Amino acid sequence: MELTDKLEILADAAKYDASCASSGAPKRHSVGKDGFGATTGMGICHSYTPDGRCVSLLKILLTNYCLYDCQYCVNRRTSNVPRARFTVAEVVKLTKDFYLRNYIDGLFLSSGIIQSADYTMEQLVQIARELREVHQFRGYIHLKTIPDADPALIAAAGRYADRLSVNIELPTQDSVQKLAPEKSVHTIKLAMGSIRRKLDEKAEEPKSPRFAPAGQSTQMIVGADASDDQQILKTAETLYGSYKLKRVYYSAFSPIPQSPKSVPLAPPPMMREHRLYQADFLLRSYGFQVDELLPKTGNLALDIDPKLAWALANREHFPMDLNRAEPHMIARIPGIGLRNAQRIVDLRRLRQVRYADLTRLKCSMKKISPFIITADYIPVNDAGPSEHLRRAMAVPAQQMNLWPELQAA
């Protein structure tokens, strides 16, 4: 098979993996040094095409052959899709060629399981090793970790990769057993734990050899099983606390032709994935707990964002006096982010905050008006029913379906 044909197949097969942001990688460059490549301070765009146009991150699989038969995966053993496999030298060559043509800033590399977990992991590590040691590549590398692989191989991967990821895929043990019987949540968490211990060792001994400086991440598929958003977010909350993950990524399930009956025939709304990302950001950066955002089982609202939903459900905190409120509570006001919350705190050290100040800060005035008090403003409808506010602020737009025939099925 021609290299371009392999690239077309294996780049397309990698598109279902969302966990490939480059944020957190240390700044490196090859200016005045041997080798080639650089990492940027900004996140790398993940767009790509098979011929390399408009690509910042080369996102490919080593192979889409796989011993496993995960029901939600397009590359499962029983899936009737075109198969291909790169050699180690081909991936190294593609990465070099694409970088030198200014197509990419780095490499995201995953793989189906071939021969064994250890053999597959050895191949991934060998690619990263050759790029770093033989070709002095200083760009970004993200390696997908095979959970069943020998811990020594995972440790070796961390020496060459900026970020490692171990995909948990589904939020519950029952779902994993049903849809991915060859996988084990216990084994996945053991791999996450071994990466966390290495990261902790590096933090305690800064002069020790480098290890995945951008940390580790994981991915959960949304809509492949019956798990609701509360269960998904509780799993994410546990993973953040137990394994110090940098990110949990959410990927809406994409049905494919001839999907098994064990998975849905229709994809979930893409807005559900978007709301999970918003809720995840509130967990990581705003100090929210899952039980605050979703006190009962169920899914996040699709018509309003999670912070607004929390505010409408907790009207006893509002309207909030911006000249008196605690900084962390100001950040919980719909329409005010972390940066503007700090600007408001800084401003009130000098003088009282007025309504016009919020306009100058480019806050979303329509959203924040019912929830704030300033030196010259008190909302007139602060006692109005939350349902009225919700209807006024809800987003009525409907999303176009990529696969209308599946939605109608």
Side-chain angles (χ1 to χ4, degrees):
M1 185 181 292
E2 293 292 330
L3 188 59
T4 53
D5 296 329
K6 292 183 182 181
L7 181 58
E8 183 173 5
I9 292 171
L10 295 174
D12 184 70
K15 69 184 179 184
Y16 298 98
D17 202 316
S19 56
C20 60
S22 63
S23 57
K27 292 184 178 181
R28 288 190 304 271
H29 60 81
S30 54
V31 177
K33 301 176 182 178
D34 293 333
F36 68 103
T39 58
T40 61
M42 305 293 289
I44 294 176
C45 175
H46 314 133
S47 301
Y48 62 86
T49 59
D51 62 359
R53 291 172 297 146
C54 303
V55 174
S56 292
L57 192 67
L58 179 59
K59 183 181 175 186
I60 54 176
L61 299 183
L62 176 64
T63 180
N64 64 342
Y65 288 101
C66 193
L67 297 175
Y68 295 172
D69 199 34
C70 305
Q71 301 297 287
Y72 49 81
C73 182
V74 66
N75 301 312
R76 66 185 183 276
R77 184 177 65 243
T78 56
S79 180
N80 184 24
V81 296
R83 305 285 182 171
R85 177 181 173 181
F86 285 126
T87 65
V88 170
E90 286 172 337
V91 176
V92 172
K93 174 178 169 50
L94 281 171
T95 306
K96 286 181 57 183
D97 289 350
F98 275 36
Y99 180 83
L100 294 174
R101 292 174 186 174
N102 235 8
Y103 291 158
I104 62 168
D105 295 303
L107 171 68
F108 173 88
L109 184 62
S110 184
S111 181
I113 311 299
I114 47 174
Q115 294 192 25
S116 69
D118 283 350
Y119 175 80
T120 306
M121 198 70 221
E122 285 173 356
Q123 299 284 293
L124 299 178
V125 171
Q126 185 178 345
I127 290 168
R129 181 188 296 116
E130 288 196 15
L131 283 169
R132 293 291 195 218
E133 295 184 348
V134 177
H135 302 284
Q136 299 296 303
F137 178 62
R138 300 180 186 276
Y140 176 80
I141 297 179
H142 181 146
L143 290 183
K144 184 57 58 68
T145 303
I146 311 300
D148 292 312
D150 190 307
L153 291 170
I154 296 176
R159 289 197 291 272
Y160 303 111
D162 292 285
R163 174 168 286 182
L164 300 176
S165 56
V166 186
N167 281 1
I168 196 166
E169 305 291 14
L170 298 166
T172 68
Q173 175 69 44
D174 288 344
S175 292
V176 172
Q177 288 179 343
K178 176 183 176 183
L179 300 179
E182 294 98 340
K183 292 185 176 181
S184 164
V185 172
H186 177 68
T187 303
I188 293 169
K189 290 183 176 180
L190 283 178
M192 289 180 176
S194 69
I195 294 172
R196 176 186 171 163
R197 286 191 294 274
K198 287 290 184 181
L199 293 170
D200 289 343
E201 291 171 7
K202 175 61 179 177
E204 293 170 2
E205 297 290 339
K207 294 184 179 180
S208 60
R210 77 188 297 279
F211 185 86
Q216 66 170 319
S217 61
T218 193
Q219 171 178 283
M220 278 190 280
I221 299 171
V222 179
D225 66 344
S227 298
D228 60 19
D229 292 349
Q230 187 196 57
Q231 180 62 66
I232 291 171
L233 289 171
K234 279 187 173 292
T235 299
E237 188 175 54
T238 299
L239 294 175
Y240 280 128
S242 300
Y243 304 104
K244 293 185 178 179
L245 298 189
K246 290 292 186 180
R247 288 291 302 274
V248 174
Y249 291 87
Y250 307 93
S251 179
F253 173 65
S254 298
I256 60 172
Q258 301 177 349
S259 291
K261 295 181 180 179
S262 55
V263 295
L265 295 177
M270 288 300 295
M271 183 58 73
R272 183 183 175 192
E273 177 188 295
H274 179 60
R275 296 301 186 210
L276 282 167
Y277 274 114
Q278 291 178 317
D280 184 274
F281 186 55
L282 296 178
L283 298 180
R284 289 184 290 114
S285 301
Y286 285 75
F288 279 91
Q289 304 294 317
V290 174
D291 288 337
E292 294 180 278
L293 299 175
L294 280 170
K296 299 179 181 178
T297 58
N299 292 340
L300 296 163
L302 299 181
D303 59 335
I304 56 175
D305 66 79
K307 194 204 281 192
L308 177 57
W310 175 83
L312 291 174
N314 294 272
R315 293 291 297 282
E316 67 273 13
H317 297 296
F318 304 100
M320 193 179 298
D321 190 339
L322 296 182
N323 288 296
R324 297 173 179 271
E326 293 292 329
H328 76 278
M329 290 301 295
I330 294 177
R332 290 190 170 209
I333 298 173
I336 297 180
L338 293 172
R339 185 176 299 177
N340 274 343
Q342 185 58 50
R343 288 169 175 164
I344 290 168
V345 172
D346 293 341
L347 176 61
R348 74 185 188 184
R349 293 193 182 106
L350 304 176
R351 60 173 175 79
Q352 288 196 319
V353 178
R354 305 179 71 83
Y355 192 82
D357 296 323
L358 304 176
T359 302
R360 283 191 287 270
L361 290 175
K362 298 182 179 179
C363 295
S364 176
M365 302 308 295
K366 177 183 177 182
K367 185 175 285 188
I368 70 174
S369 295
F371 300 103
I372 60 166
I373 295 174
T374 65
D376 60 344
Y377 172 79
I378 297 176
V380 296
N381 62 341
D382 65 298
S386 292
E387 192 56 40
H388 291 177
L389 279 177
R390 177 173 184 150
R391 283 199 296 268
M393 296 183 179
V395 180
Q398 294 184 349
Q399 177 181 306
M400 296 294 290
N401 293 325
L402 293 177
W403 300 283
E405 67 279 2
L406 291 178
Q407 293 283 13

